[in-house]
Amino acid sequence: MLRTIKGKFIIGFFLIFSLSFLVLNQTVKSVIWSSNEKIVTSDLIELKKNSIVYINQAFLINHYKNNELYFGDMADEIVESLTHSTRSHVGVYTVNGTLLSSSNKKVFSQGTDEDLKKAINGNNAYHITYDRNKAQVFFSYPVVIDGAKVGILRFSKDFNLLYKQSGEILNIIFYIALAIFVAAFLFSYILSRHITIPIVKLTEATSEVKKGKLDVDIHFPRTDEIGQLTINFNDMITRIRDQILTIEKDRDRLKELNEQEKRFFDNMTHELKTPLTSIQGYAEIIKEKGESDPQFFDKGMNHIVEESRRLHDLVIKLLEVSRETSKDRNFDRIDAGTILKDVCESIKFRAERYKKRIICEIEEGLYVHGQMNRLRQLFINLLDNAIKYSLSNSDIMIKAKVVGDQVLLIFKNPSDPYDDNQHTKVFQPFYSINQKAAEEGSLGLGLSIVKTIVEEHGGTIEMFYKENHTIITIELAYTKVEK
């Protein structure tokens, strides 16, 4: 379709310039020929005036009567005198058109004699004959003396120079007009390509986009409207790609969230169902047997108590996971370093039971804006997690210091390697990197609670594996000491 536009441009320009060229050429030719005719007419009028004056004077001087006989007697003299004075060939005729005398019979005997016929009828007349590059004018008029027609004078005058110059002018104008036409047509052709080629490429690009291919990118080093159209097209494609990527990410994220939600409820159902089933089973047996079997009664009651505690802990942790951050909580300026030291000291004995050691490097004055109990819970969960999943007979490194306007907390422990894509998943409820290493009864909720507490305090948390160590870093806003 757009290639047709290019053809229409070319055909349209060709027709316009061709018509303009023909009209211009014909108009100039008409103007020049009209001008030549005026020059010839003016020259012939002057020629007639001069010849009439000469004849009238001749009749007066010689006292000729105004009849044809005396005009015929003067024929040779008239021819000789007018030939020299007018520089033209002269012919003298009777009123009936019979040649009486001429300066050159051959000239008057050739060609048409339309002018002579009109002069016989009493009219002035002339016509022009062309032979190659020659132009010759034949002019005839009746001679009238005292109201009586006595004969006819006929002139043959050469206008070769005038028409030669006119022909040269016409040729020059023709070639100039032709050159202008060719230049204009070439310019029109280039302009049509300049306009239509980008449109064709844009059309091809839109066809590709229509097919779903969004990797198209077109460039034209132009600052006009087409260049701006190209920029807008590329921006549009970029935005479409970005929107599609966003939609795909949201789709994948939604899918992931649905899977997480399903996994969460499956795990929660399983974790709640197990202790409830066990409690219900022992309770029914105890109700049936009563105290008839004291040993089973004690065993069953102990199991019911243990499972109830486990169920209570599970519910508490689930409440922590689902707990929303509230801006209305009372946050105070507290020393996070002091709380972390106290937690390390209290949990040190548990680490020793697993043949592990906690090494703390904690600076003084690590003031943050937060809640003491929530930060204590944060540190307990992190240390508990480090003890569970670190290698046997290993050292757990705890560092805390001020870096710029942040309090940086680092928890580092040797562990088995894991995939990089697990870094973010570990903060999901019920997710555990190494299920085999998890202690019995572990729910995979610890790090999820940790992330919730960090976000409550406006901080950030990261977990990564480096040089055979699992490293967790936390950044909390540092509150400077008031002076």
Side-chain angles (χ1 to χ4, degrees):
M1 180 63 70
L2 290 175
R3 295 184 185 278
T4 305
I5 292 177
K6 178 182 175 183
K8 288 180 179 179
F9 264 113
I10 295 173
I11 294 173
F13 283 131
F14 179 80
L15 292 176
I16 290 172
F17 288 122
S18 297
L19 183 61
S20 301
F21 172 75
L22 293 175
V23 170
L24 175 63
N25 191 56
Q26 192 63 34
T27 301
V28 171
K29 186 176 181 181
S30 299
V31 170
I32 290 177
W33 284 108
S34 176
S35 176
N36 287 347
E37 288 181 359
K38 290 180 180 179
I39 293 173
V40 170
T41 302
S42 176
D43 193 62
L44 295 178
I45 291 173
E46 190 68 24
L47 180 63
K48 179 182 177 182
K49 286 181 180 180
N50 293 335
S51 62
I52 289 174
V53 170
Y54 169 76
I55 292 173
N56 286 332
Q57 289 177 350
F59 268 81
L60 288 174
I61 293 172
N62 295 294
H63 302 285
Y64 288 134
K65 296 180 179 179
N66 53 349
N67 54 39
E68 298 180 35
L69 179 61
Y70 289 108
F71 182 74
D73 292 340
M74 292 178 60
D76 292 336
E77 184 181 348
I78 292 172
V79 168
E80 183 179 356
S81 297
L82 292 179
T83 298
H84 289 291
S85 63
T86 62
R87 296 180 182 180
S88 306
H89 293 292
V90 182
V92 178
Y93 293 81
T94 66
V95 293
N96 296 322
T98 303
L99 181 63
L100 298 174
S101 179
S102 67
S103 59
N104 191 331
K105 290 184 178 182
K106 183 178 180 180
V107 172
F108 291 103
S109 63
Q110 63 185 8
T112 181
D113 56 354
E114 293 178 2
D115 59 300
L116 181 60
K117 292 177 181 178
K118 291 181 180 179
I120 294 172
N121 294 326
N123 298 315
N124 299 330
Y126 76 89
H127 76 272
I128 303 173
T129 61
Y130 300 96
D131 182 16
R132 297 183 182 176
N133 294 326
K134 295 180 180 182
Q136 192 171 18
V137 176
F138 289 91
F139 172 55
S140 300
Y141 73 91
V143 179
V144 179
I145 303 296
D146 294 335
K149 186 166 70 172
V150 298
I152 296 173
L153 278 180
R154 191 182 189 199
F155 296 88
S156 174
K157 190 166 185 177
D158 185 3
F159 282 91
N160 290 340
L161 180 61
L162 175 63
Y163 281 90
K164 182 179 180 182
Q165 290 176 344
S166 300
E168 291 175 353
I169 293 173
L170 283 174
N171 288 335
I172 291 172
I173 293 175
F174 173 81
Y175 289 119
I176 291 174
L178 182 62
I180 293 173
F181 166 76
V182 172
F185 181 75
L186 289 176
F187 174 77
S188 302
Y189 176 75
I190 294 171
L191 179 62
S192 66
R193 284 176 55 84
H194 191 65
I195 294 174
T196 57
I197 287 178
I199 296 177
V200 170
K201 290 187 177 180
L202 281 171
T203 303
E204 293 173 350
T206 54
S207 299
E208 294 296 317
V209 174
K210 183 180 178 181
K211 295 176 182 177
K213 298 179 181 179
L214 298 177
D215 55 346
V216 294
D217 194 15
I218 55 178
H219 293 283
F220 296 111
R222 297 170 58 163
T223 57
D224 55 9
E225 290 81 357
I226 292 180
Q228 187 61 46
L229 177 62
T230 303
I231 294 173
N232 293 340
F233 177 82
N234 290 332
D235 290 343
M236 179 186 69
I237 294 302
T238 300
R239 291 191 179 188
I240 292 175
R241 284 200 298 259
D242 292 341
Q243 289 294 328
I244 290 177
L245 288 175
T246 301
I247 292 171
E248 290 178 347
K249 289 180 181 179
D250 290 343
R251 179 199 62 195
D252 295 340
R253 177 61 180 164
L254 182 61
K255 182 179 178 181
E256 183 180 355
L257 288 174
N258 289 334
E259 292 176 353
Q260 289 180 11
E261 182 180 6
K262 183 178 183 302
R263 186 167 58 250
F264 176 85
F265 282 105
D266 289 345
N267 290 332
M268 184 179 67
T269 301
H270 173 74
E271 294 296 337
L272 289 173
K273 184 178 180 180
T274 301
L276 286 175
T277 302
S278 180
I279 291 172
Q280 183 181 4
Y282 275 100
E284 289 176 352
I285 296 175
I286 290 174
K287 181 180 179 181
E288 181 182 344
K289 293 184 177 182
E291 298 182 358
S292 58
D293 188 349
Q295 184 177 358
F296 180 80
F297 180 84
D298 292 339
K299 179 181 177 182
M301 291 303 295
N302 289 334
H303 191 80
I304 289 174
V305 171
E306 289 177 0
E307 290 298 319
S308 298
R309 288 175 179 172
R310 182 184 173 197
L311 185 60
H312 177 268
D313 292 340
L314 175 61
V315 171
I316 294 299
K317 287 188 177 182
L318 286 174
L319 290 175
E320 290 292 339
V321 171
S322 61
R323 185 178 184 179
E324 295 184 356
T325 302
S326 174
K327 294 183 180 179
D328 298 331
R329 291 191 182 124
N330 295 323
F331 279 36
D332 300 316
R333 182 174 174 273
I334 55 178
D335 189 347
T338 301
I339 299 174
L340 181 56
K341 287 179 183 178
D342 184 58
V343 172
C344 289
E345 188 66 27
S346 62
I347 211 167
K348 178 173 62 175
F349 299 102
R350 184 165 182 263
E352 291 176 352
R353 190 176 64 181
Y354 288 91
K355 297 180 181 180
K356 299 173 184 180
R357 186 174 59 158
I358 297 175
I359 301 175
C360 297
E361 296 180 7
I362 303 171
E363 293 183 358
E364 299 293 333
L366 303 181
Y367 291 99
V368 298
H369 195 65
Q371 287 186 316
M372 182 179 295
N373 291 336
R374 295 292 283 169
L375 290 179
R376 182 179 294 276
Q377 185 181 8
L378 168 69
F379 299 146
I380 290 173
N381 281 330
L382 287 173
L383 285 171
D384 183 64
N385 193 73
I387 292 170
K388 287 180 182 179
Y389 299 108
S390 60
L391 300 177
S392 301
N393 300 311
S394 60
D395 293 338
I396 300 171
M397 298 295 298
I398 310 297
K399 293 183 180 181
K401 57 185 178 180
V402 176
V403 178
D405 58 352
Q406 299 286 324
V407 172
L408 177 62
L409 306 169
I410 302 174
F411 296 78
K412 181 178 178 181
N413 62 273
S415 66
D416 295 326
Y418 53 87
D419 296 335
D420 292 339
N421 59 5
Q422 293 179 298
H423 291 169
T424 55
K425 292 182 179 180
V426 293
F427 298 109
Q428 298 174 7
F430 295 108
Y431 187 88
S432 178
I433 292 177
N434 189 347
Q435 295 291 346
K436 293 182 179 179
E439 292 183 344
E440 184 180 354
S442 176
L443 305 176
L445 295 174
L447 289 179
S448 177
I449 295 172
V450 164
K451 188 173 185 295
T452 300
I453 297 174
V454 172
E455 290 177 349
E456 285 177 2
H457 288 74
T460 59
I461 182 169
E462 281 188 310
M463 177 175 177
F464 54 92
Y465 187 82
K466 183 179 180 181
E467 297 177 352
N468 301 321
H469 284 74
T470 294
I471 302 173
I472 295 178
T473 62
I474 297 174
E475 290 186 354
L476 300 174
Y478 173 61
T479 304
K480 296 182 179 180
V481 180
E482 298 178 357
K483 296 183 179 179

